[in-house]
Amino acid sequence: MESTINPDKKVVHVAVGIIKREQDIFICKRPDDKHQGGKWEFPGGKVEKGETVTQALQRELIEEVDINVQSSSPFMEIHHDYGDKAVHLDIHLVEDFSGEPIGLEGQQGQWVAIDKLDNFQFPAANVPILAKLIELIK
């Protein structure tokens, strides 16, 4: 996907996991005091220096939702500029995991049927992810 981000702006590289079980996706609500707070998201977090996206995703999903990723597959990449923050989302589909996801950081989390995801408010950068997920079930 082509970047629309100002090249002088710092970009936060984020590993995102679409945790999928059958036709359901696990989503979390962002804390109100965080960027895009109060909106729903797919769990994940910043890729640290020296980490691969896969390593970051495995670490973040253990820390955030208490699951162990056995394997994941690239789903899509998104570059988005919110104005106050620019992100590079490296999104992976996670269907092979152990454990039951739960919000370990106090965040609300729940399983939602793919065709019901549009009932939740997501950050603007997530809109293409939602569209691609809907295509999976058509």
Side-chain angles (χ1 to χ4, degrees):
M1 179 171 251
E2 199 170 296
S3 177
T4 58
I5 297 173
N6 175 340
D8 298 328
K9 184 176 276 191
K10 180 178 184 270
V11 176
V12 179
H13 189 190
V14 180
V16 177
I18 298 174
I19 304 167
K20 182 176 182 285
R21 182 167 57 201
E22 296 176 16
Q23 295 303 309
D24 292 336
I25 305 291
F26 189 79
I27 60 173
C28 295
K29 194 168 191 181
R30 292 187 60 74
D32 289 335
D33 62 340
K34 301 279 187 196
H35 185 262
Q36 298 290 308
K39 295 182 179 175
W40 291 85
E41 68 176 354
F42 305 98
K46 192 169 16 172
V47 178
E48 301 293 345
K49 188 176 175 102
E51 272 185 326
T52 66
V53 172
T54 300
Q55 290 168 333
L57 185 64
Q58 290 171 334
R59 177 184 51 77
E60 285 288 345
L61 294 185
I62 288 170
E63 292 172 2
E64 195 174 325
V65 295
D66 198 27
I67 65 167
N68 289 295
V69 176
Q70 311 302 326
S71 66
S72 65
S73 56
F75 189 70
M76 66 190 307
E77 288 186 46
I78 295 172
H79 298 268
H80 189 83
D81 190 338
Y82 284 103
D84 60 336
K85 186 178 206 174
V87 293
H88 169 197
L89 304 180
D90 226 321
I91 303 125
H92 282 233
L93 189 60
V94 179
E95 295 180 278
D96 186 7
F97 61 92
S98 61
E100 180 61 27
I102 184 170
L104 283 182
E105 299 171 338
Q107 76 277 36
Q108 185 179 346
Q110 67 186 72
W111 288 102
V112 177
I114 292 173
D115 63 351
K116 302 287 187 234
L117 286 170
D118 59 355
N119 294 333
F120 295 81
Q121 185 180 13
F122 285 83
N126 286 211
V127 170
I129 303 170
L130 298 168
K132 189 168 179 179
L133 284 170
I134 294 296
E135 286 300 313
L136 286 180
I137 60 170
K138 286 187 175 178

